[in-house]
Amino acid sequence: MNEKRKPKSPDEIDAHIGRQVRMRRKMAGLSQEKLGEQLGVTFQQIQKYEKGANRIAASRLFQIAEVLGSPLSYFLPDNSGNGGEEGFAERQTAFVMDFVSTAEGVELNRSFTHIKSSKVRRRLIELVSEIARDQNNDASQE
């Protein structure tokens, strides 16, 4: 009866809300410690929220939304009526959200939005796309 238990993976909704909290916190330029101070919790608790390891109570999510200056709906998944089935688009969205919530993703987005010329933004997208294609081609030839 002494079976080893497999660590429980976070619920997908908890993980989604955690990713949203992380992304919004980074966009606001707050550290986990600073957000924790404003909420009266430790930075370790913020880490657990962001990983989806600990669920965020509705009242706490409301506090987070207020501190980060976001509507509560920003953190919640879009319930488009797909019956809870995660398809390719949802997995791609999670992948993008994971990247955007990194320091590099936040900096890239922040810098990109400061470029006023739509022509320059379009050329940058084309350049990055070409680099990615070249890297994929190089990797497939190895």
Side-chain angles (χ1 to χ4, degrees):
M1 289 232 149
N2 219 356
E3 294 179 26
K4 287 188 179 182
R5 291 185 183 211
K6 186 176 170 183
K8 186 178 169 192
S9 60
D11 178 83
E12 187 55 40
I13 293 173
D14 296 330
H16 172 84
I17 292 171
R19 284 190 300 269
Q20 294 297 99
V21 168
R22 178 178 170 85
M23 183 168 54
R24 185 65 193 109
R25 175 184 61 77
K26 286 184 169 271
M27 289 170 54
L30 284 177
S31 66
Q32 290 175 333
E33 187 175 12
K34 291 290 182 195
L35 178 58
E37 285 173 9
Q38 292 189 37
L39 297 173
V41 300
T42 65
F43 78 90
Q44 290 96 333
Q45 184 62 42
I46 300 299
Q47 284 177 332
K48 290 177 182 179
Y49 287 156
E50 290 181 358
K51 290 179 182 175
N54 284 8
R55 288 192 170 155
I56 305 174
S59 57
R60 176 73 72 207
L61 188 58
F62 186 81
Q63 289 175 316
I64 291 169
E66 283 189 324
V67 168
L68 297 177
S70 296
L72 195 56
S73 61
Y74 173 85
F75 302 98
L76 304 175
D78 176 26
N79 190 1
S80 57
N82 65 3
E85 295 178 22
E86 184 181 60
F88 178 75
E90 290 80 8
R91 286 190 301 275
Q92 284 296 102
T93 301
F95 171 76
V96 170
M97 297 305 288
D98 286 344
F99 169 72
V100 171
S101 66
T102 66
E104 294 164 332
V106 170
E107 181 61 28
L108 181 64
N109 279 299
R110 189 175 287 143
S111 297
F112 191 82
T113 58
H114 285 95
I115 299 170
K116 301 293 182 221
S117 168
S118 61
K119 184 177 179 181
V120 171
R121 287 193 307 267
R122 169 63 22 217
R123 290 181 67 200
L124 277 170
I125 291 168
E126 290 169 0
L127 173 64
V128 171
S129 296
E130 187 174 328
I131 291 169
R133 276 192 303 275
D134 287 351
Q135 274 196 328
N136 286 337
N137 289 339
D138 291 346
S140 67
Q141 292 175 3
E142 291 178 356

